[in-house]
Amino acid sequence: MLKIGCHLSNAKGYVNMMNQALDIGANTFQFFTRNPRGSRVKNIDHEDIGNFNNMMKENNFNKIVGHAPYTLNPASPDNRVLNFAYLTVEEDLSLMELMPGNFYNMHPGSHVKSGVEEGIKRVIDVLNQNMSNTMTTTILLETMSGKGSEIGRTFEELLMIIDGLNHPDKVGICLDTCHVYDGGYDIKEDLDGVLYELDKVIGIERLHAIHINDTKNPFASHKDRHEKIGDGYLGEEFFFKLINHKDLKDKIFILETPNEIEGYAAEIKLLKYNYGNIDF
Ligand code: FE
Ligand code: FE
Ligand code: ZN
């Protein structure tokens, strides 16, 4: 079965997100662990999370993805920004443990003129300080478009982070189709080649989730502006090929397209309709 969902607002809690997901035919989803542009942690509603965990089981739901806030920059040379990163990753990982066995997705961050290697060292330390061998969450490092001084445009950079971790078994990657295409991997013309490259450098078994976004900008533009499925440079056919790829059968697909809930429902329906002939 196609594992598909979209990014949902967690403003009304976890049970609410689950109901929305079920409503639109999703069997996974993504949410921000806190206000994406702010820094405040929401008060944790344990009852809501308990009920949510029961619904996960009852509905045989796939793993879900908690996304770190955009303000997180564990590669930053600025102490205030870096301290916020230590605190955020710590709090977010303990939140995620309330829903055991899911994914925590983060952008590796930007080195802001301090150099890729220095930036990567800081990311490694933020993670090593906060990961443990008892954690059940898998951290996903997201592939980035390379705008500004973003780390994670290349598979090699993500591997450098993974290689520095004390618990590499608890880390994987999330491939964002808009980001990699903007970043200079021609996933549209050569999907097999890009997946081969990913497998060679990082290992395809580390790939757990795929952000399916079309892009507003042409190949290698390093821009990162998401577009609705079929309305951008990647195009509908590409996404049908992607979800049906033999090496991606067990991956989780998450839409982060510029949509309201109705738009997401339509995209999920479209993708399901164009998925195999076995399950639908
Ligand atoms: Fe992201
Ligand atoms: Fe993404
Ligand atoms: Zn993006």
Side-chain angles (χ1 to χ4, degrees):
M1 192 174 45
L2 180 62
K3 297 176 182 175
I4 190 158
C6 63
H7 189 94
L8 294 172
S9 162
N10 75 355
K12 290 182 184 150
Y14 291 87
V15 167
N16 184 267
M17 284 193 285
M18 174 60 89
N19 283 327
Q20 269 197 317
L22 294 171
D23 258 8
I24 60 174
N27 48 33
T28 177
F29 65 84
Q30 177 176 276
F31 62 97
F32 281 122
T33 50
R34 59 180 74 205
N35 182 333
R37 306 210 176 270
S39 58
R40 296 281 308 280
V41 211
K42 274 180 61 176
N43 287 333
I44 293 173
D45 183 342
H46 289 270
E47 195 186 330
D48 181 46
I49 292 182
N51 292 333
F52 170 76
N53 285 337
N54 290 335
M55 291 174 88
M56 287 277 284
K57 284 201 204 89
E58 282 160 18
N59 291 285
N60 230 329
F61 220 65
N62 293 297
K63 293 184 182 200
I64 54 163
V65 184
H67 195 303
Y70 289 143
T71 43
L72 181 79
N73 184 4
S76 176
D78 179 320
N79 270 328
R80 269 191 22 224
V81 179
L82 193 56
N83 285 338
F84 172 72
Y86 279 98
L87 191 72
T88 299
V89 171
E90 183 188 358
E91 286 176 350
D92 281 3
L93 285 178
S94 54
L95 169 72
M96 291 307 296
E97 286 304 310
L98 299 175
M99 298 159 275
N102 291 298
F103 297 120
Y104 179 58
N105 183 89
M106 56 182 273
H107 299 175
S110 301
H111 62 75
V112 204
K113 291 180 186 156
S114 66
V116 175
E117 280 190 26
E118 289 304 306
I120 285 178
K121 275 188 204 158
R122 287 187 285 264
V123 178
I124 289 170
D125 196 60
V126 169
L127 291 175
N128 277 341
Q129 294 297 322
N130 291 300
M131 293 173 75
S132 71
N133 55 2
T134 55
M135 67 189 268
T136 63
T137 303
T138 300
I139 294 179
L140 301 181
L141 301 170
E142 185 168 347
T143 59
M144 303 310 294
S145 68
K147 67 176 183 307
S149 63
E150 262 175 2
I151 292 169
R153 186 189 65 78
T154 66
F155 300 148
E156 284 79 4
E157 288 176 4
L158 294 178
L159 179 68
M160 277 172 74
I161 298 172
I162 296 168
D163 277 347
L165 299 176
N166 298 335
H167 303 288
D169 52 311
K170 304 199 183 282
V171 172
I173 68 160
C174 169
L175 185 90
D176 186 307
T177 55
C178 167
H179 297 178
V180 286
Y181 190 69
D182 281 15
Y185 287 100
D186 197 349
I187 198 170
K188 182 178 184 180
E189 295 305 324
D190 189 16
L191 176 59
D192 282 334
V194 175
L195 292 177
Y196 173 81
E197 189 67 21
L198 193 159
D199 189 39
K200 201 178 66 180
V201 178
I202 300 180
I204 196 112
E205 70 284 354
R206 280 207 193 274
L207 174 65
H208 294 291
I210 302 179
H211 284 163
I212 34 176
N213 305 312
D214 213 328
T215 173
K216 284 194 199 295
N217 292 288
F219 179 61
S221 60
H222 306 295
K223 285 265 173 50
D224 187 4
R225 304 264 326 272
H226 302 185
E227 182 53 283
K228 294 187 173 94
I229 299 300
D231 287 357
Y233 280 86
L234 284 169
E236 223 174 54
E237 288 300 319
F238 162 75
F239 291 99
F240 300 160
K241 210 166 87 184
L242 182 82
I243 56 170
N244 286 291
H245 195 284
K246 63 172 177 30
D247 296 338
L248 305 177
K249 290 284 178 206
D250 57 335
K251 314 300 181 192
I252 278 170
F253 294 92
I254 303 278
L255 292 155
E256 295 177 316
T257 46
N259 274 307
E260 301 298 323
I261 198 76
E262 297 77 19
Y264 279 133
E267 286 184 346
I268 288 170
K269 199 172 165 194
L270 173 76
L271 292 166
K272 276 187 170 180
Y273 185 77
N274 286 281
Y275 179 73
N277 296 308
I278 309 146
D279 294 303
F280 300 101

